[in-house]
Amino acid sequence: MPILRALLVAPVVLTLLALGTASLPSEPHLTPASPHLHRLVAEGDAPAAALLAGPSASAPYGTYGSAGPGIRPGDRFRAGSITKTFVATVVLQLVDEGELRLSDSVEAHLPGLIRGQGNDGARITLRSLLTHTSGLYDYTEALPATDPAVTGAAGPSAQPLAPGTAIRTALAHAPATAPGAYAYSNTNYVLLGLIVQRVTGHPYAAEIQRRVLTPLHLSGTSLPGARSALPVPHSRGYHRSADDGTLRDVTAIDPRIAGAAGELVSTLADLNHFYAALLGGRLLSPAQLATLLDTRAADGRYGMGVYPQRLSCGTTVWGHDGHITGSYVRTAATVDGLHVFTFRVNTDALPGPALQAALLEAEFCGSRTT
């Protein structure tokens, strides 16, 4: 699992973390929530948690479980850095079409943009952006904690962070790592969003809609742009104060601060459907799917918009997590896309690594009741 990096700094952290056509599991097989799901509520400071596994032959809409009040199977929620898998998919499709090459430099597509403080766009390739080996400073590390967009406030005072501002923020700093070293940075995917627009003439959100959401009928998934309200149905999203433990409703935020690094809104069923289709070969050619899963550039820690996690039973699962104001979600799947699992909580309090691993072990290693 990659080291989580802050997209929105304290007090709210933002980490940019199927086979049917229905985006809402209108008839999911309901199952008693696992002890681990209840632990997300009891130990993880989450008001509520939910999971969806499948679909399967016995449960074509998936197997759903929940713990805590006010959370439902078809809720829309903010998916944070899971956006990166969608962006990487579009980039690799453009590579397949000959519009891009992974060896292309950033300078070739965005001339003059990446310069200063030791940063050089001529030395940064698309491959290094996709694999977080560019060395670019993560712009989210420099965001002020008092920014209304950071704290989840919505209204006239909120100042969205445009991609250009995000890049300038990153370029005010020297590279975070030596060239070629892995370091998770949201700046990489903001740049990829700009490159997609430069090459296609369309915003990255429009290309994701045309190439992924529409073909897969992911009607519960959207890239909201300036829309601060979540589509209905949705549960509320909360931030728990570190000072007194109180919950604050942060459902409405301006997601433009995340952009191509994390603005996606989705559902449990849509995320399962997307990763099943992606890993099952429905969105990429065999060559580009192999490239997506190639972790050699990042020392085994990250592919291109996905990362592996090896479980105790020997199974390696692939996917991503998303951590954004009011929400945390994790999707994992077997490499063939036949077994997909997503869980979420409606708060930005991060579940501990051990608790997350317990959920994945229970699902993929056959110990669901332990």
Side-chain angles (χ1 to χ4, degrees):
M1 179 179 297
I3 298 173
L4 295 176
R5 300 294 299 276
L7 177 55
L8 295 185
V9 293
V12 178
V13 179
L14 170 53
T15 306
L16 301 167
L17 41 278
L19 301 175
T21 59
S23 63
L24 297 179
S26 55
E27 300 178 22
H29 176 69
L30 302 178
T31 185
S34 74
H36 302 302
L37 196 60
H38 282 292
R39 286 177 60 197
L40 285 174
V41 176
E43 302 173 24
D45 287 331
L51 62 79
L52 184 68
S56 66
S58 60
Y61 289 95
T63 300
Y64 174 81
S66 65
I71 198 165
R72 297 155 297 187
D75 282 343
R76 274 72 166 170
F77 52 83
R78 302 190 191 279
S81 280
I82 285 178
T83 309
K84 292 180 173 70
T85 313
F86 287 75
V87 172
T89 300
V90 169
V91 171
L92 290 174
Q93 286 182 349
L94 290 168
V95 170
D96 248 342
E97 295 163 11
E99 298 295 329
L100 291 172
R101 295 175 300 176
L102 294 177
S103 59
D104 288 350
S105 69
V106 173
E107 179 71 15
H109 296 287
L110 301 171
L113 182 61
I114 306 300
R115 293 179 182 172
Q117 297 293 334
N119 298 288
D120 182 0
R123 300 174 58 194
I124 298 172
T125 66
L126 271 61
R127 183 184 299 276
S128 67
L129 295 179
L130 287 160
T131 58
H132 294 295
T133 56
S134 70
L136 288 169
Y137 180 85
D138 187 345
Y139 75 93
T140 66
E141 297 286 352
L143 296 180
T146 55
D147 190 316
V150 175
T151 60
S157 64
Q159 298 296 315
L161 189 69
T165 305
I167 300 304
R168 286 191 294 274
T169 300
L171 295 179
H173 300 266
T177 63
Y182 172 79
Y184 190 92
S185 174
N186 292 291
T187 306
N188 294 320
Y189 277 74
V190 173
L191 278 170
L192 287 168
L194 292 174
I195 290 169
V196 167
Q197 180 164 348
R198 178 62 62 91
V199 170
T200 66
H202 307 125
Y204 68 87
E207 288 298 309
I208 290 174
Q209 180 69 54
R210 182 174 73 86
R211 294 169 175 270
V212 180
L213 306 188
T214 297
L216 295 182
H217 306 285
L218 302 183
S219 59
T221 301
S222 60
L223 293 110
R227 297 190 303 276
S228 61
L230 284 172
V232 293
H234 65 261
S235 56
R236 312 304 298 175
Y238 298 97
H239 169 67
R240 191 177 296 276
S241 170
D243 296 327
D244 57 13
T246 58
L247 287 172
R248 181 161 58 90
D249 190 316
V250 291
T251 306
I253 64 168
D254 189 325
R256 284 175 289 180
I257 198 167
E263 73 162 294
L264 194 79
V265 169
S266 195
T267 68
L268 293 171
D270 273 11
L271 291 181
N272 280 12
H273 187 173
F274 166 67
Y275 280 97
L278 176 64
L279 296 170
R282 293 177 56 190
L283 294 172
L284 296 175
S285 68
Q288 295 310 325
L289 182 56
T291 300
L292 180 92
L293 302 175
D294 186 348
T295 64
R296 289 175 295 178
D299 297 322
R301 301 167 70 182
Y302 202 90
M304 295 189 176
V306 295
Y307 62 82
Q309 184 172 348
R310 185 172 175 82
L311 305 178
S312 64
C313 56
T315 297
T316 296
V317 293
W318 293 83
H320 215 289
D321 61 347
H323 185 203
I324 189 169
T325 307
S327 178
Y328 179 77
V329 58
R330 170 77 163 102
T331 298
T334 52
V335 71
D336 55 12
L338 295 179
H339 187 172
V340 192
F341 175 67
T342 300
F343 69 85
R344 61 169 290 237
V345 294
N346 62 345
T347 179
D348 44 52
L350 275 172
L355 181 50
Q356 294 196 50
L359 276 159
L360 297 181
E361 296 274 346
E363 178 62 31
F364 291 97
C365 295
S367 54
R368 301 188 187 189
T369 60
T370 61

